[in-house]
Amino acid sequence: MSVFLSAAHKSSGKTVVSLGICGAISQLNLTVQPFKKGPDYIDPIWLSQASDKSCYNLDFYNMSEAEIIELYRSKDSLVDFSLIEGNKGLYDGMNVTGGDANADLAKLLNLPVIMVVDSTGITRGVAPLVKGYQDFDSDVVIAGVILNKVAGDRHESKLIQAIEHYTDLDIIGSIRRSTELIIDERHLGLMPANETPQSQQFINTASRIIADQVDIDKILNLQAPKSKAKKEIINIVSTKLTVAIAKDSSFGFYYQDDLDQFKQLGVNITYFDSLKDQHLPDCDGLFIGGGFPEMQLDKLSGNTLLLSDIKNKIEQGLPTYAECGGLMYLTSQIITKDGCYPMVGVIDADTRMTPKPIGRGYVQLAPNDNHPWSGVSECIKAHEFHYSKLENIDTNTRYAFEVLRGVGVDNKRDGIIKYNLLASYTHLRNLAGNQWVVQFVDFIKTNSKTT
């Protein structure tokens, strides 16, 4: 049993609905596997918590269709129910003729689509809206509609009458507008669950409301071909390497399949808390991913023992990879409108927060001869999303990448190199076209003092 949850446009509330569906089905003692279309980090954190299973991203930009199908089937075959949450609207994508939209992913995986419709300020007009989406591509199977943000009984009645009179679409649920179903937003998405102490309480509330106002049985009975279960082939290479990874309310943006790849290579992962731990755990390599460190500046800056330890370890040659929030953390200071906050200081530059995004969207990078890792792909497709920029950069700074598309550090380059550190604004993902985890682990083997 699998469904693709999409909407007419972004901010329709589909993530909250997805959380509620995952939570409600999990409470039926069924295993739920969530997926997220696109490069999103924040929604997968919420979906993972709601389903108690790691969420995986499916992305046309840096994955081949074969990779998407293989990842989906390998995870779907192990559970009772899979939910893929779309990004943006059902037919929105980079290409005007399609090929990379949510609808294309639903067709590729042969999944029925449930449309979440934001019914704010609309009554009879809901009919041509959903009918138009249904007729736009006859190969997309829209199995039903969930009405969201419904004002009351009278509003609900008008919406249902219009849909039933003009279309043959099934109404799977009608969710009332409620302050209990609002998650604070930041920039272009939800507040990350790892920053929100009440996240589980919110998920429990959403699950209860969705279970009451959405027909879960209808969702479970939608006919979608189940992926055939197959024995997972796990080729673990035995190593004695340990990689320390920052994972807390400041740093939590990691692709699950990247973390899986470390384990496939036999690497032991040990997580640390940049806000509480005073020293790095014993490790051969360090990985600091993305997040919103600017929301925890007092605590990050105040943890001087850890800042000093990280700086000393990197200067002593600890193989390190950092991206976006991790890059910011390693600079001399983070500057906001409220003040300056000292950071690790291993990168000779300052980070300045900005009110508007500096880099946002897909990028293409070309590695140059400075790149410290071996076997790097000639062209790397990835993603960036940052409301900050680097200032006062040392003029002798070396870079690993030329930016072909995107912004990076200075619109031309990305990937700062210093000692055995590579730090970039770009979020890499370990795929056939960019096996960065393999390359980083090989680099650790060559440069770690304990190997």
Side-chain angles (χ1 to χ4, degrees):
M1 294 175 285
S2 302
V3 299
F4 195 109
L5 201 76
S6 191
H9 54 78
K10 69 183 296 290
S11 299
S12 296
K14 62 182 178 296
T15 297
V16 174
V17 177
S18 297
L19 295 177
I21 291 174
C22 286
I25 293 177
S26 294
Q27 290 172 8
L28 299 175
N29 293 321
L30 298 174
T31 53
V32 178
Q33 176 61 62
F35 298 87
K36 175 70 182 183
K37 180 185 180 293
D40 194 301
Y41 284 101
I42 298 174
D43 290 357
I45 295 176
W46 282 98
L47 290 166
S48 296
Q49 187 170 339
S51 61
D52 200 27
K53 267 201 175 298
S54 297
C55 180
Y56 289 84
N57 295 72
L58 305 173
D59 192 342
F60 280 116
Y61 182 71
N62 52 22
M63 300 177 74
S64 67
E65 290 189 355
E67 283 181 301
I68 291 173
I69 292 170
E70 174 59 27
L71 177 57
Y72 166 73
R73 288 180 177 174
S74 68
K75 303 304 175 184
D76 174 63
S77 65
L78 304 175
V79 298
D80 299 311
F81 177 81
S82 291
L83 182 144
I84 298 90
E85 185 202 339
N87 63 339
K88 301 182 180 180
L90 179 59
Y91 294 109
D92 294 328
M94 295 175 65
N95 300 317
V96 69
T97 55
D100 60 357
N102 295 278
D104 299 294
L105 184 56
K107 289 191 291 185
L108 178 67
L109 300 178
N110 196 20
L111 298 180
V113 174
I114 296 176
M115 275 194 66
V116 176
V117 177
D118 181 350
S119 60
T120 303
I122 192 171
T123 52
R124 183 171 178 258
V126 73
L129 173 67
V130 297
K131 181 66 173 174
Y133 273 75
Q134 185 182 30
D135 293 344
F136 186 77
D137 186 340
S138 60
D139 292 330
V140 177
V141 178
I142 299 180
V145 173
I146 293 177
L147 301 170
N148 196 27
K149 305 178 185 178
V150 177
D153 290 344
R154 188 165 177 266
H155 187 205
E156 179 183 65
S157 177
K158 288 185 176 182
L159 293 166
I160 292 175
Q161 288 180 42
I163 292 174
E164 289 181 342
H165 183 77
Y166 291 103
T167 81
D168 59 357
L169 285 171
D170 197 5
I171 299 171
I172 294 176
S174 178
I175 304 170
R176 296 299 172 89
R177 186 183 305 151
S178 171
T179 56
E180 292 185 292
L181 295 178
I182 297 175
I183 305 177
D184 291 337
E185 294 196 8
R186 179 186 303 144
H187 302 328
L188 297 179
L190 302 181
M191 183 81 72
N194 61 317
E195 285 185 34
T196 311
Q198 297 80 26
S199 57
Q200 188 58 53
Q201 180 181 340
F202 177 87
I203 290 170
N204 293 341
T205 299
S207 301
R208 172 179 54 79
I209 293 174
I210 290 333
D212 182 56
Q213 300 181 15
V214 172
D215 193 331
I216 298 298
D217 287 338
K218 279 187 178 181
I219 293 175
L220 291 174
N221 289 326
L222 289 176
Q223 295 300 311
K226 186 67 183 171
S227 301
K228 294 182 179 180
K230 65 177 183 179
K231 185 176 181 181
E232 283 193 295
I233 301 175
I234 303 176
N235 298 315
I236 295 180
V237 180
S238 178
T239 76
K240 296 181 180 179
L241 297 180
T242 296
V243 172
I245 299 180
K247 194 171 185 182
D248 47 54
S249 56
S250 291
F251 305 105
F253 294 179
Y254 298 100
Y255 287 119
Q256 183 58 44
D257 33 348
D258 286 0
L259 302 180
D260 292 347
Q261 185 61 51
F262 278 108
K263 296 176 182 178
Q264 287 282 322
L265 296 172
V267 174
N268 176 54
I269 293 176
T270 179
Y271 294 106
F272 69 96
D273 189 323
S274 63
L275 306 176
K276 299 177 181 178
D277 294 334
Q278 297 182 341
H279 300 280
L280 283 178
D282 291 336
C283 61
D284 305 289
L286 173 61
F287 177 22
I288 308 176
F292 291 125
E294 66 268 25
M295 302 309 297
Q296 304 285 346
L297 290 175
D298 283 328
K299 291 182 179 179
L300 287 173
S301 185
N303 192 358
T304 56
L305 289 176
L306 181 62
L307 295 176
S308 177
D309 190 44
I310 292 175
K311 186 173 189 292
N312 290 337
K313 295 286 177 55
I314 293 177
E315 288 177 345
Q316 291 167 11
L318 178 67
T320 302
Y321 173 60
E323 55 185 28
C324 203
L327 163 67
M328 297 161 60
Y329 181 59
L330 295 180
T331 60
S332 298
Q333 59 183 343
I334 295 179
I335 305 169
T336 73
K337 59 182 177 60
D338 298 319
C340 304
Y341 300 83
M343 292 290 127
V344 172
V346 75
I347 293 176
D348 298 317
D350 300 326
T351 300
R352 181 176 294 277
M353 301 308 304
T354 58
K356 295 182 179 180
I358 299 297
R360 183 183 71 194
Y362 289 121
V363 302
Q364 287 187 27
L365 304 176
N368 57 37
D369 293 338
N370 294 327
H371 201 297
W373 304 348
S374 60
V376 182
S377 301
E378 293 183 0
C379 183
I380 296 171
K381 292 184 176 182
H383 186 262
E384 66 179 343
F385 179 79
H386 50 102
Y387 278 67
S388 70
K389 60 182 179 181
L390 298 193
E391 298 179 338
N392 304 318
I393 305 172
D394 186 342
T395 56
N396 294 319
T397 296
R398 295 187 302 134
Y399 298 88
F401 300 112
E402 305 302 321
V403 176
L404 305 181
R405 169 185 174 148
V407 175
V409 170
D410 62 0
N411 290 294
K412 298 179 294 183
R413 299 164 297 186
D414 203 3
I416 291 175
I417 304 167
K418 191 171 184 182
Y419 308 110
N420 286 327
L421 162 69
L422 174 62
S424 171
Y425 263 126
T426 300
H427 295 273
L428 299 181
R429 186 175 180 192
N430 191 85
L431 296 163
N434 176 35
Q435 297 188 31
W436 79 263
V437 174
V438 178
Q439 297 154 13
F440 181 45
V441 170
D442 287 342
F443 182 73
I444 295 172
K445 290 177 182 178
T446 304
N447 294 276
S448 174
K449 295 182 179 180
T450 61
T451 57

